[in-house]
Amino acid sequence: MVALGNDNSTLRLAGILLCYVLFVGILFGQANAVHKKGVSILFVGNSLTYYNNLPELVKQNAKTHGIRLKYDLVAKPNYAIVDHWAEGKVQKLIAKNKYDYVIVQQGPSSQNEGRQMLIESGKDYKQLCEKSNTKLCYYMVWPSQTYYHTYDGVIKNHRDAAQLNDAILLPVGEVWKAYFDRTDNFQYYGPDGFHRSLLGSKVAARVIVEYLLKDKK
């Protein structure tokens, strides 16, 4: 005699397992699609961006999180974001390439002139990014060791600019200062007391990826 109850239980179990397999397959397919698409970034800045090839370090760090990252770089010595805007290249790149993120950087900007550049020129970048469905990010840097006393101004001006322009803040400089205050060890600075050491560059890349990952959640 066939036990119908047992057959029904077996069918129910088989159905549950099939649903589970299909659900996992869908999730895997979605995750795989995101992985294949990857993330694209435009870096805009000066030597504090291109020194030690920071964009490539960001790419390598992202890879450890399973993220395929591609980037373009527009950076020249001593340039502020307003200087890049005046040349016009960044506008063409943003409009043409449809980046996920545009990461802008200029000098420490602790004084009023630098603050106004961050805020006012940042508005121009923000408006263009919105048209291209791109997110604007501020890469917060740091003062030289000689002007370490201006550090709080650097942090405040970058935070204010990001908030006023509804942009993502990548607080590398703030993370550095927390480490310096805690350890009294300034190894993130390079020999010139301003540009990054290789360790400082790796920390900067880690912070950038960490905060971009927070945005993607």
Side-chain angles (χ1 to χ4, degrees):
M1 181 179 293
V2 179
L4 295 177
N6 290 339
D7 282 349
N8 289 337
S9 298
T10 302
L11 288 172
R12 283 197 297 272
L13 179 60
I16 292 171
L17 288 173
L18 178 60
C19 289
Y20 175 76
V21 170
L22 290 173
F23 177 69
V24 171
I26 291 170
L27 288 180
F28 178 79
Q30 291 174 340
N32 194 43
V34 171
H35 177 74
K36 286 181 178 179
K37 179 182 178 183
V39 173
S40 60
I41 297 175
L42 174 64
F43 290 88
V44 180
N46 54 41
S47 60
L48 294 181
T49 290
Y50 66 71
Y51 196 81
N52 282 337
N53 202 349
L54 178 64
E56 187 63 26
L57 292 176
V58 170
K59 179 179 179 178
Q60 293 172 11
N61 189 285
K63 187 176 180 180
T64 67
H65 295 276
I67 299 172
R68 184 171 58 85
L69 187 149
K70 60 180 180 179
Y71 65 85
D72 288 322
L73 170 65
V74 180
K76 293 185 178 182
N78 301 316
Y79 261 46
I81 58 176
V82 65
D83 298 318
H84 286 294
W85 189 266
E87 287 193 346
K89 183 177 180 179
V90 293
Q91 294 95 312
K92 295 177 182 177
L93 284 170
I94 294 170
K96 179 181 177 181
N97 290 289
K98 307 297 183 183
Y99 299 99
D100 295 297
Y101 300 99
V102 172
I103 298 178
V104 297
Q105 170 269 315
Q106 62 183 31
S109 307
S110 63
Q111 304 302 312
N112 188 59
E113 182 181 8
R115 173 185 171 86
Q116 292 306 312
M117 287 183 188
L118 283 175
I119 295 171
E120 297 304 323
S121 187
K123 289 180 182 177
D124 295 328
Y125 282 85
K126 176 65 177 181
Q127 291 172 1
L128 183 57
C129 285
E130 286 182 338
K131 292 179 182 177
S132 300
N133 196 29
T134 300
K135 294 185 178 181
L136 176 66
C137 307
Y138 281 93
Y139 161 27
M140 179 197 293
V141 292
W142 50 86
S144 68
Q145 286 184 279
T146 302
Y147 291 96
Y148 196 86
H149 60 281
T150 67
Y151 218 133
D152 288 341
V154 175
I155 293 173
K156 174 177 171 47
N157 290 343
H158 279 81
R159 283 202 164 276
D160 288 351
Q163 182 177 9
L164 289 169
N165 288 316
D166 191 25
I168 298 170
L169 183 65
L170 307 174
V172 176
E174 195 165 8
V175 170
W176 274 33
K177 188 174 189 298
Y179 175 79
F180 297 150
D181 291 346
R182 185 175 70 254
T183 66
D184 200 30
N185 186 330
F186 297 88
Q187 61 183 332
Y188 293 168
Y189 282 106
D192 67 355
F194 184 42
H195 291 89
R196 302 175 302 266
S197 65
L198 181 57
L199 176 60
S201 297
K202 289 180 178 179
V203 171
R206 175 181 58 79
V207 173
I208 289 171
V209 173
E210 176 185 342
Y211 277 80
L212 291 182
L213 284 175
K214 287 182 179 179
D215 173 67
K216 290 180 70 65
K217 290 181 178 179

